[in-house]
Each structure stands twice: as structure tokens, then as C-alpha cells.
Amino acid sequence: MPKVITIDPGRSKCGLVLAEISKKKVYKAIILKSEFLENYVRNLTTTEKISHIILGNGTSSREIKEKLYF
């Protein structure tokens, strides 16, 4: 089943959850520096079957959205 990535953006750090909604299962729940977010998400999308990326509209969400548009 496809998984979703949810991101709570921030200027210096971001929260990230990798989950499978249909099974109500969380695979990862981490906080990482914002500078590492783009590469981390790229790696996840190559190793996991991701159906959606859900991005909160908090601090620096516009900048992060532009970086993750791939």
C-alpha cells in the first residue's frame, strides 16, 4: 500500500512522519534540520511507495514547497 509523508515545516527544523493511513501505522516520526529535508524526502521517495506529501502551512512552507517540487 502507498504511504504518505507529512511535514511540519520550520526555519531551522522540520517534523516529518512517514505513515500508511489505511493501516493506521507510523513508520517514521522524526525531527530534522530544515537544510536536510529535501535530500531526506528524495531518498524516501526512491525507497518507499509514496502516494502523497502533505505539507503544513507554517513557517517557511513556501520555500520548502518549492524545494520539494520534483
Side-chain angles (χ1 to χ4, degrees):
M1 296 295 301
K3 298 172 183 163
V4 297
I5 297 172
T6 61
I7 300 169
D8 180 16
R11 292 196 200 290
S12 61
K13 61 186 176 186
C14 296
L16 183 141
V17 173
L18 174 65
E20 191 170 334
I21 303 298
S22 63
K23 291 185 178 180
K24 298 180 182 177
K25 185 169 183 178
V26 173
Y27 294 94
K28 294 182 188 282
I30 63 168
I31 297 172
L32 67 157
K33 290 185 176 183
S34 297
E35 62 192 77
F36 301 129
L37 180 67
E38 181 181 0
N39 286 335
Y40 192 85
V41 171
R42 282 185 187 273
N43 288 336
L44 276 179
T45 59
T46 60
T47 60
E48 303 283 349
K49 186 175 180 182
I50 306 296
S51 64
H52 292 85
I53 297 175
I54 301 166
L55 179 63
N57 64 351
T59 309
S60 72
S61 61
R62 286 185 186 162
E63 293 87 1
I64 291 173
K65 183 179 178 181
E66 290 174 8
K67 287 181 181 181
L68 296 180
Y69 189 74
F70 52 82

